[in-house]
Amino acid sequence: MGTNGIIKLPSVVRRESFCVHKVPIFSHLETEELRKISALVKKRNYKAKETVFSIGEEIRGLYILRYGSLKMVRYSREGEEVIVETLKKGDFYGSDNFFQSSRSKEEAITLEKTGVCIIDEKDLVDIIKKNPDIAIKIIQVLSFMQGNDRNLISILSEKDVLKRIALFLLWQTEDTPERTILITQDDLAKRINTTNETVSRKIKVLREKGLVEMPGYGKIEIKNREALSIFVNE
């Protein structure tokens, strides 16, 4: 087991197991259990901007991101996109009713090439019955997700849009050494409740201050995290 608590799988293990191995609720399991769970996994691959599932679609299991990223979208009464969450490698989705079939309230759209693993609801319940610790892990992860919701609410309460953007960028890189965020300016605007034009102007200000850079389309890189943190607290 590595220093971060994640089991190191031997090279002979098939790559399908990596999907469940990288998810927090399964990371504590022994290799043999990971193999058993991997045998239940269904894999699907998507191109960028493809829909994984739509609003109202029945969700009968757990969707796990093997690689890539996707945005969870709802729509306003005017039909405008509202991004409620962005899922990355290792994240999962099981709708609001985790252990029973339900209809998705969001549309899942890939932001790049994305691989998804799906574990059927019945198989997931059987896995938990054999490994009760997984239920505790699920509760911990769901609690963490609620904390993320509160963080976003706090960010949205910031009236200064420039600082709102800075807070969002800091939040997105809080638990990772990666300082490059895969998000378009349009999607950023939808996450923090402003317009694309406003985000474009404010990002320019942050670039002029040497705090962020745009290394490519759909990418925002934090150049000086410490200075950006000081800026939001001024």
Side-chain angles (χ1 to χ4, degrees):
M1 182 176 291
T3 56
N4 59 0
I6 295 180
I7 302 166
K8 300 297 183 181
L9 297 183
S11 59
V12 295
V13 177
R14 296 178 62 189
R15 290 189 62 85
E16 285 86 341
S17 64
F18 294 167
C19 186
V20 295
H21 174 249
K22 294 178 180 178
V23 180
I25 61 175
F26 297 127
S27 61
H28 66 292
L29 297 179
E30 297 297 331
T31 302
E32 185 57 33
E33 288 299 325
L34 289 171
R35 282 198 182 104
K36 292 177 181 178
I37 295 173
S38 296
L40 304 173
V41 165
K42 300 173 184 176
K43 294 198 304 180
R44 293 178 185 171
N45 299 309
Y46 299 88
K47 298 177 182 178
K49 299 183 180 180
E50 279 197 88
T51 298
V52 177
F53 52 81
S54 303
I55 293 174
E57 187 171 327
E58 190 172 24
I59 303 297
R60 303 178 65 90
L62 193 67
Y63 288 72
I64 304 169
L65 263 68
R66 187 166 79 258
Y67 62 87
S69 57
L70 57 82
K71 58 183 178 181
M72 308 300 294
V73 175
R74 297 188 184 186
Y75 295 91
S76 68
R77 291 183 179 179
E78 293 75 27
E80 296 180 349
E81 234 183 46
V82 178
I83 300 175
V84 297
E85 183 62 273
T86 301
L87 302 184
K88 303 174 184 177
K89 181 176 68 176
D91 290 339
F92 64 85
Y93 178 84
S95 190
D96 292 339
N97 299 316
F98 204 80
F99 294 106
Q100 56 184 344
S101 299
S102 61
R103 303 279 176 183
S104 174
K105 294 180 180 178
E106 297 88 18
E107 183 173 9
I109 303 171
T110 59
L111 295 170
E112 55 188 318
K113 288 183 178 179
T114 300
V116 177
C117 290
I118 304 172
I119 300 179
D120 185 76
E121 174 190 318
K122 181 180 179 300
D123 291 331
L124 180 61
V125 171
D126 289 341
I127 291 168
I128 291 172
K129 286 179 179 178
K130 295 175 183 177
N131 301 276
D133 286 350
I134 291 178
I136 297 174
K137 292 281 186 178
I138 289 174
I139 292 171
Q140 291 172 341
V141 172
L142 293 179
S143 177
F144 176 77
M145 291 166 66
Q146 286 185 332
N148 278 345
D149 291 341
R150 289 192 291 271
N151 284 337
L152 184 57
I153 290 171
S154 176
I155 290 169
L156 292 176
S157 69
E158 172 59 60
K159 293 182 179 180
D160 186 324
V161 178
L162 184 59
K163 289 190 175 182
R164 197 187 310 165
I165 292 171
L167 284 168
F168 180 84
L169 297 179
L170 288 169
W171 174 49
Q172 289 296 289
T173 56
E174 196 172 54
D175 299 315
T176 173
E178 294 290 336
R179 295 189 177 187
T180 300
I181 304 159
L182 297 177
I183 190 169
T184 65
Q185 291 188 24
D186 185 44
D187 283 347
L188 174 56
K190 292 169 183 173
R191 288 300 307 273
I192 63 171
N193 194 28
T194 188
T195 66
N196 190 6
E197 292 76 13
T198 299
V199 166
S200 181
R201 291 198 306 270
K202 301 302 183 182
I203 287 290
K204 183 179 179 181
V205 172
L206 293 177
R207 291 178 66 182
E208 290 172 348
K209 290 178 177 290
L211 300 175
V212 305
E213 192 51 80
M214 307 283 287
Y217 177 76
K219 295 180 180 180
I220 303 176
E221 180 183 354
I222 296 179
K223 300 296 293 182
N224 191 329
R225 186 179 179 83
E226 183 179 357
L228 190 60
S229 297
I230 292 172
F231 168 74
V232 298
N233 289 302
E234 288 178 348

PDB file of all heavy atoms in Angstrom, residues 8 20 34 47 51 55 63 76 84 96 134 147-148 156 167 181 184 187 189 193 209 214 218 222:
ATOM      1  N   LYS A   8      -1.451  -0.513  -4.466  1.00  0.00           N
ATOM      2  CA  LYS A   8      -0.736  -0.581  -5.735  1.00  0.00           C
ATOM      3  C   LYS A   8      -1.010  -1.945  -6.374  1.00  0.00           C
ATOM      4  O   LYS A   8      -0.625  -2.980  -5.847  1.00  0.00           O
ATOM      5  CB  LYS A   8       0.767  -0.404  -5.510  1.00  0.00           C
ATOM      6  CG  LYS A   8       1.129   0.936  -4.862  1.00  0.00           C
ATOM      7  CD  LYS A   8       0.748   2.109  -5.747  1.00  0.00           C
ATOM      8  CE  LYS A   8       1.171   3.414  -5.116  1.00  0.00           C
ATOM      9  NZ  LYS A   8       0.805   4.576  -5.934  1.00  0.00           N
ATOM     10  N   VAL A  20     -12.355   1.173 -10.759  1.00  0.00           N
ATOM     11  CA  VAL A  20     -12.855   1.140  -9.384  1.00  0.00           C
ATOM     12  C   VAL A  20     -11.752   1.423  -8.381  1.00  0.00           C
ATOM     13  O   VAL A  20     -12.004   1.918  -7.288  1.00  0.00           O
ATOM     14  CB  VAL A  20     -13.525  -0.215  -9.067  1.00  0.00           C
ATOM     15  CG1 VAL A  20     -14.771  -0.395  -9.919  1.00  0.00           C
ATOM     16  CG2 VAL A  20     -12.572  -1.386  -9.276  1.00  0.00           C
ATOM     17  N   LEU A  34     -11.009  -6.161  -5.681  1.00  0.00           N
ATOM     18  CA  LEU A  34     -11.031  -5.244  -6.818  1.00  0.00           C
ATOM     19  C   LEU A  34     -11.248  -5.993  -8.129  1.00  0.00           C
ATOM     20  O   LEU A  34     -11.958  -5.530  -9.019  1.00  0.00           O
ATOM     21  CB  LEU A  34      -9.722  -4.454  -6.885  1.00  0.00           C
ATOM     22  CG  LEU A  34      -9.518  -3.397  -5.798  1.00  0.00           C
ATOM     23  CD1 LEU A  34      -8.103  -2.852  -5.848  1.00  0.00           C
ATOM     24  CD2 LEU A  34     -10.524  -2.267  -5.937  1.00  0.00           C
ATOM     25  N   LYS A  47     -16.677  10.701 -26.976  1.00  0.00           N
ATOM     26  CA  LYS A  47     -15.916  11.817 -27.521  1.00  0.00           C
ATOM     27  C   LYS A  47     -16.308  13.087 -26.762  1.00  0.00           C
ATOM     28  O   LYS A  47     -17.238  13.089 -25.969  1.00  0.00           O
ATOM     29  CB  LYS A  47     -16.226  11.984 -29.010  1.00  0.00           C
ATOM     30  CG  LYS A  47     -15.848  10.780 -29.867  1.00  0.00           C
ATOM     31  CD  LYS A  47     -16.244  11.002 -31.313  1.00  0.00           C
ATOM     32  CE  LYS A  47     -15.906   9.786 -32.169  1.00  0.00           C
ATOM     33  NZ  LYS A  47     -16.346   9.969 -33.583  1.00  0.00           N
ATOM     34  N   THR A  51     -23.317  13.336 -24.927  1.00  0.00           N
ATOM     35  CA  THR A  51     -24.193  13.195 -23.768  1.00  0.00           C
ATOM     36  C   THR A  51     -24.115  11.773 -23.224  1.00  0.00           C
ATOM     37  O   THR A  51     -24.345  10.811 -23.958  1.00  0.00           O
ATOM     38  CB  THR A  51     -25.655  13.519 -24.149  1.00  0.00           C
ATOM     39  OG1 THR A  51     -25.734  14.890 -24.582  1.00  0.00           O
ATOM     40  CG2 THR A  51     -26.585  13.324 -22.954  1.00  0.00           C
ATOM     41  N   ILE A  55     -31.482  14.453 -18.828  1.00  0.00           N
ATOM     42  CA  ILE A  55     -32.418  14.746 -17.749  1.00  0.00           C
ATOM     43  C   ILE A  55     -33.646  13.846 -17.914  1.00  0.00           C
ATOM     44  O   ILE A  55     -34.197  13.704 -19.006  1.00  0.00           O
ATOM     45  CB  ILE A  55     -32.838  16.227 -17.787  1.00  0.00           C
ATOM     46  CG1 ILE A  55     -31.641  17.121 -17.462  1.00  0.00           C
ATOM     47  CG2 ILE A  55     -33.985  16.496 -16.803  1.00  0.00           C
ATOM     48  CD1 ILE A  55     -31.908  18.603 -17.606  1.00  0.00           C
ATOM     49  N   TYR A  63     -22.136   5.534 -11.916  1.00  0.00           N
ATOM     50  CA  TYR A  63     -21.308   5.954 -13.045  1.00  0.00           C
ATOM     51  C   TYR A  63     -19.981   6.465 -12.491  1.00  0.00           C
ATOM     52  O   TYR A  63     -19.963   7.381 -11.666  1.00  0.00           O
ATOM     53  CB  TYR A  63     -21.989   7.074 -13.837  1.00  0.00           C
ATOM     54  CG  TYR A  63     -23.173   6.628 -14.652  1.00  0.00           C
ATOM     55  CD1 TYR A  63     -24.385   6.283 -14.045  1.00  0.00           C
ATOM     56  CD2 TYR A  63     -23.105   6.558 -16.046  1.00  0.00           C
ATOM     57  CE1 TYR A  63     -25.477   5.871 -14.793  1.00  0.00           C
ATOM     58  CE2 TYR A  63     -24.193   6.161 -16.808  1.00  0.00           C
ATOM     59  CZ  TYR A  63     -25.384   5.816 -16.171  1.00  0.00           C
ATOM     60  OH  TYR A  63     -26.470   5.415 -16.910  1.00  0.00           O
ATOM     61  N   SER A  76     -32.344  26.447 -17.102  1.00  0.00           N
ATOM     62  CA  SER A  76     -33.257  27.435 -16.534  1.00  0.00           C
ATOM     63  C   SER A  76     -34.574  27.421 -17.307  1.00  0.00           C
ATOM     64  O   SER A  76     -34.701  26.757 -18.340  1.00  0.00           O
ATOM     65  CB  SER A  76     -32.636  28.832 -16.608  1.00  0.00           C
ATOM     66  OG  SER A  76     -32.531  29.262 -17.967  1.00  0.00           O
ATOM     67  N   VAL A  84     -24.099  22.528 -12.630  1.00  0.00           N
ATOM     68  CA  VAL A  84     -24.198  22.312 -11.184  1.00  0.00           C
ATOM     69  C   VAL A  84     -22.979  21.590 -10.616  1.00  0.00           C
ATOM     70  O   VAL A  84     -22.735  21.633  -9.403  1.00  0.00           O
ATOM     71  CB  VAL A  84     -25.480  21.533 -10.830  1.00  0.00           C
ATOM     72  CG1 VAL A  84     -26.709  22.330 -11.216  1.00  0.00           C
ATOM     73  CG2 VAL A  84     -25.509  20.165 -11.509  1.00  0.00           C
ATOM     74  N   ASP A  96     -29.792  11.293  -7.160  1.00  0.00           N
ATOM     75  CA  ASP A  96     -30.127  11.724  -5.794  1.00  0.00           C
ATOM     76  C   ASP A  96     -30.473  10.550  -4.896  1.00  0.00           C
ATOM     77  O   ASP A  96     -30.176  10.554  -3.711  1.00  0.00           O
ATOM     78  CB  ASP A  96     -31.313  12.712  -5.828  1.00  0.00           C
ATOM     79  CG  ASP A  96     -30.928  14.032  -6.476  1.00  0.00           C
ATOM     80  OD1 ASP A  96     -29.718  14.340  -6.526  1.00  0.00           O
ATOM     81  OD2 ASP A  96     -31.824  14.751  -6.933  1.00  0.00           O
ATOM     82  N   ILE A 134     -17.628  -0.292   2.669  1.00  0.00           N
ATOM     83  CA  ILE A 134     -17.879   0.545   1.493  1.00  0.00           C
ATOM     84  C   ILE A 134     -19.019   1.522   1.772  1.00  0.00           C
ATOM     85  O   ILE A 134     -18.989   2.674   1.317  1.00  0.00           O
ATOM     86  CB  ILE A 134     -18.206  -0.327   0.261  1.00  0.00           C
ATOM     87  CG1 ILE A 134     -16.947  -1.095  -0.170  1.00  0.00           C
ATOM     88  CG2 ILE A 134     -18.709   0.518  -0.904  1.00  0.00           C
ATOM     89  CD1 ILE A 134     -17.158  -2.023  -1.333  1.00  0.00           C
ATOM     90  N   GLY A 147     -20.150  19.261   1.355  1.00  0.00           N
ATOM     91  CA  GLY A 147     -19.225  20.341   1.687  1.00  0.00           C
ATOM     92  C   GLY A 147     -18.870  21.152   0.459  1.00  0.00           C
ATOM     93  O   GLY A 147     -18.759  22.391   0.524  1.00  0.00           O
ATOM     94  N   ASN A 148     -18.712  20.481  -0.675  1.00  0.00           N
ATOM     95  CA  ASN A 148     -18.438  21.183  -1.933  1.00  0.00           C
ATOM     96  C   ASN A 148     -19.588  22.103  -2.309  1.00  0.00           C
ATOM     97  O   ASN A 148     -19.381  23.223  -2.803  1.00  0.00           O
ATOM     98  CB  ASN A 148     -18.195  20.170  -3.056  1.00  0.00           C
ATOM     99  CG  ASN A 148     -16.776  19.638  -3.049  1.00  0.00           C
ATOM    100  OD1 ASN A 148     -15.898  20.209  -2.407  1.00  0.00           O
ATOM    101  ND2 ASN A 148     -16.552  18.545  -3.747  1.00  0.00           N
ATOM    102  N   LEU A 156     -20.466  31.901  -4.601  1.00  0.00           N
ATOM    103  CA  LEU A 156     -21.499  32.642  -5.326  1.00  0.00           C
ATOM    104  C   LEU A 156     -22.003  33.858  -4.546  1.00  0.00           C
ATOM    105  O   LEU A 156     -22.571  34.786  -5.126  1.00  0.00           O
ATOM    106  CB  LEU A 156     -22.679  31.712  -5.645  1.00  0.00           C
ATOM    107  CG  LEU A 156     -22.395  30.604  -6.664  1.00  0.00           C
ATOM    108  CD1 LEU A 156     -23.602  29.695  -6.817  1.00  0.00           C
ATOM    109  CD2 LEU A 156     -22.004  31.190  -8.010  1.00  0.00           C
ATOM    110  N   LEU A 167     -11.742  32.984  -6.419  1.00  0.00           N
ATOM    111  CA  LEU A 167     -12.126  32.004  -5.402  1.00  0.00           C
ATOM    112  C   LEU A 167     -12.469  30.666  -6.039  1.00  0.00           C
ATOM    113  O   LEU A 167     -12.096  29.605  -5.522  1.00  0.00           O
ATOM    114  CB  LEU A 167     -13.329  32.529  -4.602  1.00  0.00           C
ATOM    115  CG  LEU A 167     -13.037  33.616  -3.571  1.00  0.00           C
ATOM    116  CD1 LEU A 167     -14.341  34.242  -3.089  1.00  0.00           C
ATOM    117  CD2 LEU A 167     -12.251  33.043  -2.389  1.00  0.00           C
ATOM    118  N   ILE A 181      -6.867  24.231 -14.926  1.00  0.00           N
ATOM    119  CA  ILE A 181      -8.263  23.837 -14.824  1.00  0.00           C
ATOM    120  C   ILE A 181      -8.832  23.710 -16.231  1.00  0.00           C
ATOM    121  O   ILE A 181      -8.709  24.633 -17.045  1.00  0.00           O
ATOM    122  CB  ILE A 181      -9.069  24.882 -14.031  1.00  0.00           C
ATOM    123  CG1 ILE A 181      -8.437  25.076 -12.650  1.00  0.00           C
ATOM    124  CG2 ILE A 181     -10.524  24.466 -13.888  1.00  0.00           C
ATOM    125  CD1 ILE A 181      -8.810  26.372 -12.004  1.00  0.00           C
ATOM    126  N   THR A 184     -13.942  26.040 -20.048  1.00  0.00           N
ATOM    127  CA  THR A 184     -14.031  27.166 -20.978  1.00  0.00           C
ATOM    128  C   THR A 184     -14.535  28.397 -20.212  1.00  0.00           C
ATOM    129  O   THR A 184     -15.127  28.278 -19.141  1.00  0.00           O
ATOM    130  CB  THR A 184     -14.996  26.867 -22.128  1.00  0.00           C
ATOM    131  OG1 THR A 184     -16.324  26.715 -21.604  1.00  0.00           O
ATOM    132  CG2 THR A 184     -14.589  25.596 -22.871  1.00  0.00           C
ATOM    133  N   ASP A 187     -18.263  28.066 -19.752  1.00  0.00           N
ATOM    134  CA  ASP A 187     -18.671  27.166 -18.681  1.00  0.00           C
ATOM    135  C   ASP A 187     -18.363  27.769 -17.307  1.00  0.00           C
ATOM    136  O   ASP A 187     -19.120  27.584 -16.356  1.00  0.00           O
ATOM    137  CB  ASP A 187     -17.976  25.811 -18.814  1.00  0.00           C
ATOM    138  CG  ASP A 187     -18.599  24.943 -19.892  1.00  0.00           C
ATOM    139  OD1 ASP A 187     -19.711  25.284 -20.354  1.00  0.00           O
ATOM    140  OD2 ASP A 187     -17.992  23.929 -20.285  1.00  0.00           O
ATOM    141  N   ALA A 189     -18.463  30.914 -16.606  1.00  0.00           N
ATOM    142  CA  ALA A 189     -19.523  31.900 -16.393  1.00  0.00           C
ATOM    143  C   ALA A 189     -20.790  31.229 -15.858  1.00  0.00           C
ATOM    144  O   ALA A 189     -21.456  31.752 -14.953  1.00  0.00           O
ATOM    145  CB  ALA A 189     -19.826  32.640 -17.696  1.00  0.00           C
ATOM    146  N   ASN A 193     -22.428  32.054 -12.166  1.00  0.00           N
ATOM    147  CA  ASN A 193     -23.608  32.904 -12.341  1.00  0.00           C
ATOM    148  C   ASN A 193     -23.257  34.317 -12.840  1.00  0.00           C
ATOM    149  O   ASN A 193     -23.614  35.329 -12.228  1.00  0.00           O
ATOM    150  CB  ASN A 193     -24.382  33.004 -11.022  1.00  0.00           C
ATOM    151  CG  ASN A 193     -25.775  33.586 -11.227  1.00  0.00           C
ATOM    152  OD1 ASN A 193     -26.368  33.440 -12.292  1.00  0.00           O
ATOM    153  ND2 ASN A 193     -26.295  34.245 -10.206  1.00  0.00           N
ATOM    154  N   LYS A 209      -2.270  40.893 -14.104  1.00  0.00           N
ATOM    155  CA  LYS A 209      -1.663  40.875 -12.773  1.00  0.00           C
ATOM    156  C   LYS A 209      -0.661  39.730 -12.623  1.00  0.00           C
ATOM    157  O   LYS A 209       0.010  39.611 -11.589  1.00  0.00           O
ATOM    158  CB  LYS A 209      -2.755  40.726 -11.700  1.00  0.00           C
ATOM    159  CG  LYS A 209      -3.659  41.950 -11.526  1.00  0.00           C
ATOM    160  CD  LYS A 209      -4.721  41.670 -10.474  1.00  0.00           C
ATOM    161  CE  LYS A 209      -5.599  42.895 -10.227  1.00  0.00           C
ATOM    162  NZ  LYS A 209      -4.851  43.989  -9.529  1.00  0.00           N
ATOM    163  N   MET A 214      -3.716  31.540 -19.883  1.00  0.00           N
ATOM    164  CA  MET A 214      -4.598  30.712 -20.706  1.00  0.00           C
ATOM    165  C   MET A 214      -3.723  29.920 -21.669  1.00  0.00           C
ATOM    166  O   MET A 214      -3.429  30.378 -22.776  1.00  0.00           O
ATOM    167  CB  MET A 214      -5.584  31.592 -21.476  1.00  0.00           C
ATOM    168  CG  MET A 214      -6.384  32.562 -20.614  1.00  0.00           C
ATOM    169  SD  MET A 214      -7.716  31.763 -19.730  1.00  0.00           S
ATOM    170  CE  MET A 214      -8.854  31.453 -21.069  1.00  0.00           C
ATOM    171  N   GLY A 218     -10.082  26.337 -23.418  1.00  0.00           N
ATOM    172  CA  GLY A 218     -10.696  25.539 -22.363  1.00  0.00           C
ATOM    173  C   GLY A 218      -9.746  25.234 -21.213  1.00  0.00           C
ATOM    174  O   GLY A 218      -9.989  24.300 -20.445  1.00  0.00           O
ATOM    175  N   ILE A 222      -3.312  28.628 -13.036  1.00  0.00           N
ATOM    176  CA  ILE A 222      -2.918  29.535 -11.961  1.00  0.00           C
ATOM    177  C   ILE A 222      -1.401  29.649 -11.973  1.00  0.00           C
ATOM    178  O   ILE A 222      -0.685  28.666 -11.800  1.00  0.00           O
ATOM    179  CB  ILE A 222      -3.400  29.008 -10.594  1.00  0.00           C
ATOM    180  CG1 ILE A 222      -4.937  28.968 -10.551  1.00  0.00           C
ATOM    181  CG2 ILE A 222      -2.872  29.896  -9.466  1.00  0.00           C
ATOM    182  CD1 ILE A 222      -5.508  28.430  -9.255  1.00  0.00           C
TER     183      ILE A 222
END
